[in-house]
Amino acid sequence: MAGPDYPGLDTLALHAGAQPDPSTGARATPIYQSASFCFPDSDYAASLFNIERAGHVYSRLSNPTNAVLEERIAALEGGVGAIATASGQAALHLAIITLMGASSHIVASAALYGGSHNLLAYTLPRFGIETTFVDPRDPQAFANAIQDNTRLVFGETLGNPSLDVLNIPAIAEVAHAAGLPLMVDSTTTTPYLIKPFELGADIIQHSATKFLSGHGIVIGGLLVDSSQFEWEASGKFPTLSEPYEGFHNLIFTEEFGPAAMIQRARKEGLRDFGACMAPTSAFHILQGIETLSVRMSRHVENTRTITAFLLEQEPVTRVGYPELDGHPDQALAKELLPNGCGAVFSFDLAGGREAGIAFVDALSVFSHLANIGDAKSLVIHPASTTHHRMDAEALAAGGIGEGTIRLSIGLEDPKDLIADLKRGLRAAGKKAGGSR
Amino acid sequence: MRIAVNGETAYCYTNSRDIETDKPTVVFIHGSGMDHTVWTLASRHFARHGNNVVSVDLPGHGRSTGSPLATVEEMASWVIAMLDALAITDAALVGHSLGSLIALECAASHSDRVRAIALVGTSSPMPVSDAILDAAEADDHAAFDMLTQWGFSKRHQFGGNRNSGIWMIGNTLRLYERSAPGVLFHDMRACNEYTSGTDQAAKIACPAMLILGAEDRLTPVRSTRALQEAIPSPVVEILPGAGHTIMVEAPNAMLDALHKVL
Ligand SMILES: Cc1ncc(COP(=O)(O)O)c(C=O)c1O
């Protein structure tokens, strides 16, 4: 039997969470650039503080512009709720500190964004939270790394830098069998390319800095909860299932049911650590999400054109995109990411560091910078920038060569991107030729 | 709090407080396929305002064990048994949808135990469409989809939750999905078959209030006319913009309205 149809992704991307502004009729979501909100009377104030009414007190805790963004991303992902945070890093941190404390453990993919790796490998151990990193392409490795004190399994939908496709159904099964939730970072894929909750993930983290906002103008993060994970039944999450002294012994699973995790994250982590999103940032991200599908499909189309071009070029020794022959996850990509594997990928140039530097310096349409997910095309040469302290051996351990180039393909005319790349390849070819 | 009622374990949310017999009590009764969490804001509010609050999970719902009860009359008797078990002599009852019929039946059949009633998203009779009943009987997800979408006003199909960070459609759908197989069907059939509501309404002696969503598509305002005529001098509050899921769509306006009888 077919029930009524829900609005589709594009309709939700434009409308979810938003209503015409009740006081002015403004169609666009206004930027409520206000730190605080007036209480009509003292009892109303008390009721807001005690979670009896819906409304806003102070923009660190909630804000009307942010609320639209939060509801929109939750709708797009098919979750129950979300929290907008100051950055993608803040969203990851918020999830972790909501679910665990000292003496806990995380099992994470080894193929993570460098910032996420820093947090897990170096910073959180100082606070008693250890992480074991495992091969993202081996679900059994995740299973083997789980300990009694493990509280979270974590990976990126497309791993950094080799675009390892996370086998979400298999890894979710491993996590759930151990009574643990699976969180995925879906920054590079967005809900246009993959719906992690439908595949078994429990929590999603986004850096909204990238494709969601889409124009390289804002830093922001989003944490989304599916509510599918049974916190109480697992028995491993006292922050959610036992009284919280910091809020008059509130038990989040008891009072908020499906919204327990996201409410705890707001009432504690956002309140105490304070990494909230600025309302103007929320506005920019909302604006970006309105065109998510049209942008992402063009990002992917251009990426397919560019990867096909690069494959044919003399100094290019490897193009790492999961749709291409030779990528170890080609079959899995076809299954989980039929609409494309995003617009960020790397390729290798013959000629090592020198060729890489010459390539980057010769480009003029591609911007040389440290970011991804802009409407403009971006380039970086890891060996001379983000990873400049590492020698060839250390780079290789991270799946990076001295001649590896990372591109984030934008929305320009592909012919102009190709012309630009040709310039770079000529410059690189000279170095490669010289060093042969 | 968990207590024994009719040989099963019944759960009720009390704002983590013990029942104090010298305080007035407000009982909250959820609708079909739901649980006590739909009343969290309201029950926290009335707890702070000097009431015992008892927000129940009906048998077979949420944290209460047992099978779902078949009729509104049985559910009303269960609520009274719950009051007995808690040693509460009388209470105000707030019910949503199916819960409103239970509150109505309690007020009519156990008038000495009921101080006031507030019927939220109500109508009597409360006919349920065959499409919903058939899907619910088959434990078909379509039943959840129909109730979720038709339960919100047109404008709220895209959310617009004043309670930050919660996608209201998603949260309501998840509550239905969490219900045990068969529970929704039992509840919907009980609503459908409770046809004595207007007769019972005439017996109500306590203050009674109807809180209606102006854009309710499951229990439209016009379908409450018989009930409004049958209840002796009801207080009627029609909330603009709200559909059937009033606790989510108009939580603040509902609280303000409840103060008129509680
Ligand atoms: C995959 C991925 N996750 C998380 C982040 C961190 O996001 P932010 O820079 O918004 O803190 C980034 C940033 O580059 C990223 O690429």
Side-chain angles (χ1 to χ4, degrees):
Chain A
M1 198 178 305
D5 231 7
Y6 291 93
L9 190 82
D10 289 348
T11 308
L12 292 173
L14 286 153
H15 293 281
Q19 297 286 339
D21 186 52
S23 53
T24 62
R27 177 62 274 200
T29 297
I31 303 172
Y32 285 94
Q33 193 68 44
S34 184
S36 307
F37 301 86
C38 287
F39 311 124
D41 59 53
S42 301
D43 186 67
Y44 200 102
S47 67
L48 280 175
F49 278 96
N50 192 42
I51 326 179
E52 302 166 15
R53 287 177 186 273
H56 306 284
V57 170
Y58 187 64
S59 284
R60 169 155 40 80
L61 311 173
S62 71
N63 171 280
T65 310
N66 296 27
V68 175
L69 172 61
E70 289 162 345
E71 203 174 354
R72 183 161 304 173
I73 191 66
L76 288 170
E77 294 289 14
V80 294
I83 295 184
T85 57
S87 65
Q89 285 295 108
L92 174 61
H93 176 256
L94 180 60
I96 292 169
I97 55 96
T98 298
L99 297 180
M100 68 192 84
S103 308
S104 303
H105 175 253
I106 296 168
V107 176
S109 153
L112 294 182
Y113 162 64
S116 306
H117 185 266
N118 287 340
L119 176 66
L120 296 174
Y122 307 115
T123 309
L124 286 180
R126 282 205 292 118
F127 300 89
I129 298 173
E130 304 282 341
T131 296
T132 303
F133 296 96
V134 299
D135 178 353
R137 301 183 44 247
D138 183 1
Q140 189 57 43
F142 283 84
N144 295 345
I146 291 172
Q147 309 173 175
D148 282 348
N149 63 340
T150 304
R151 291 295 175 268
L152 183 67
V153 177
F154 177 58
E156 293 179 7
T157 51
L158 287 169
N160 177 42
S162 308
L163 305 190
D164 324 74
V165 177
L166 197 71
N167 191 338
I168 296 175
I171 295 168
E173 200 177 312
V174 164
H176 296 163
L180 298 172
L182 170 63
M183 176 159 86
V184 300
D185 176 338
S186 189
T187 296
T188 54
T189 37
T190 80
Y192 174 77
L193 293 176
I194 197 168
K195 300 290 284 295
F197 291 157
E198 290 174 9
L199 299 171
D202 303 289
I203 303 168
I204 295 172
Q205 172 222 341
H206 283 290
S207 168
T209 312
K210 320 299 182 196
F211 294 96
L212 285 176
S213 61
H215 297 79
I217 56 169
V218 69
I219 300 286
L222 293 163
L223 180 66
V224 195
D225 181 26
S226 71
S227 88
Q228 297 287 351
F229 191 78
E230 299 290 346
W231 305 107
E232 260 174 21
S234 158
K236 296 182 174 193
F237 298 94
T239 52
L240 303 182
S241 61
E242 285 173 22
Y244 174 41
E245 225 181 310
F247 215 108
H248 320 297
N249 291 326
L250 199 163
I251 300 172
F252 285 82
T253 48
E254 181 179 41
E255 302 218 14
F256 299 110
M261 189 262 180
I262 214 73
Q263 291 285 21
R264 172 84 185 209
R266 186 180 300 279
K267 304 295 186 243
E268 181 191 46
L270 199 61
R271 181 193 66 181
D272 297 357
F273 290 87
C276 58
M277 182 183 282
T280 304
S281 300
F283 172 83
H284 287 305
I285 296 164
L286 280 167
Q287 204 59 25
I289 288 176
E290 290 200 354
T291 55
L292 182 66
S293 289
V294 272
R295 285 187 295 103
M296 287 308 286
S297 66
R298 180 66 177 272
H299 274 296
V300 167
E301 191 186 314
N302 279 0
T303 301
R304 287 173 174 160
T305 304
I306 300 298
T307 54
F309 162 77
L310 288 171
L311 276 177
E312 302 295 316
Q313 307 308 308
E314 171 78 22
V316 174
T317 57
R318 179 193 66 96
V319 180
Y321 194 64
E323 290 183 347
L324 301 178
D325 290 343
H327 192 286
D329 296 323
Q330 193 184 30
L332 190 59
K334 212 169 248 168
E335 186 188 326
L336 301 185
L337 292 153
N339 295 327
C341 297
V344 179
F345 68 95
S346 59
F347 67 95
D348 291 341
L349 282 171
R353 263 178 222 249
E354 297 228 321
I357 291 168
F359 175 85
V360 167
D361 285 343
L363 298 183
S364 59
V365 178
F366 281 81
S367 306
H368 182 198
L369 52 72
N371 195 15
I372 56 170
D374 195 325
K376 302 172 187 72
S377 289
L378 316 175
V379 62
I380 200 159
H381 175 227
S384 62
T385 57
T386 50
H387 296 62
H388 72 276
R389 283 198 200 88
M390 296 186 177
D391 60 18
E393 203 179 324
L395 283 175
I400 297 168
E402 296 197 292
T404 296
I405 300 287
R406 189 186 72 193
L407 300 180
S408 174
I409 302 298
L411 307 178
E412 297 92 342
D413 292 285
K415 73 175 172 60
D416 298 324
L417 295 178
I418 286 174
D420 204 36
L421 292 171
K422 278 182 177 163
R423 274 189 289 275
L425 290 169
R426 263 196 305 276
K430 281 183 195 150
K431 295 285 175 192
S435 67
R436 256 177 206 157
Chain B
M1 168 183 302
R2 284 182 166 83
I3 51 167
V5 178
N6 297 345
E8 295 285 350
T9 302
Y11 168 85
C12 58
Y13 170 77
T14 62
N15 196 231
S16 310
R17 300 169 197 237
D18 294 329
I19 303 294
E20 294 174 44
T21 45
D22 57 336
K23 279 186 180 175
T25 298
V26 184
V27 174
F28 293 91
I29 312 167
H30 61 78
S32 299
M34 295 278 131
D35 68 18
H36 69 278
T37 60
V38 300
W39 295 115
T40 292
L41 300 183
S43 44
R44 293 180 67 87
H45 182 73
F46 284 97
R48 184 173 61 84
H49 278 279
N51 298 278
N52 298 312
V53 294
V54 177
S55 186
V56 305
D57 280 349
L58 290 168
H61 296 68
R63 293 153 186 249
S64 288
T65 64
S67 307
L69 303 174
T71 65
V72 168
E73 289 84 351
E74 284 175 56
M75 296 177 196
S77 302
W78 180 88
V79 168
I80 299 302
M82 176 111 186
L83 292 182
D84 291 342
L86 293 168
I88 294 169
T89 51
D90 67 83
L93 308 185
V94 181
H96 175 243
S97 201
L98 167 65
S100 73
L101 301 181
I102 299 170
L104 167 67
E105 176 63 25
C106 284
S109 300
H110 307 273
S111 56
D112 55 324
R113 309 295 297 275
V114 181
R115 170 165 62 83
I117 56 171
L119 313 182
V120 183
T122 192
S123 76
S124 184
M126 196 180 283
V128 179
S129 76
D130 287 345
I132 294 176
L133 278 174
D134 292 348
E137 184 164 24
D139 282 319
D140 188 323
H141 196 279
F144 304 154
D145 298 330
M146 287 184 246
L147 286 169
T148 301
Q149 293 197 19
W150 300 339
F152 285 91
S153 68
K154 283 224 172 69
R155 76 181 68 181
H156 286 140
Q157 297 302 312
F158 294 122
N161 201 344
R162 295 194 56 197
N163 199 1
S164 272
I166 308 298
W167 164 231
M168 50 189 184
I169 303 279
N171 197 64
T172 297
L173 182 62
R174 274 299 286 147
L175 280 173
Y176 285 123
E177 289 172 348
R178 283 183 168 200
S179 65
V183 165
L184 183 65
F185 175 64
H186 270 86
D187 290 352
M188 298 266 71
R189 191 178 51 185
C191 292
N192 197 46
E193 292 179 354
Y194 184 66
T195 51
S196 57
T198 40
D199 293 340
Q200 293 294 77
K203 301 182 195 162
I204 291 174
C206 65
M209 146 159 245
L210 308 187
I211 302 177
L212 310 174
E215 297 176 37
D216 188 333
R217 289 185 280 173
L218 291 173
T219 52
V221 172
R222 63 182 140 70
S223 72
T224 65
R225 209 165 292 141
L227 194 58
Q228 290 194 38
E229 280 165 16
I231 298 176
S233 50
V235 182
V236 180
E237 196 82 22
I238 299 175
L239 307 184
H244 186 67
T245 317
I246 290 168
M247 300 81 71
V248 182
E249 294 180 274
N252 297 350
M254 184 189 75
L255 274 196
D256 295 336
L258 284 173
H259 273 291
K260 296 186 178 172
V261 288
L262 298 190

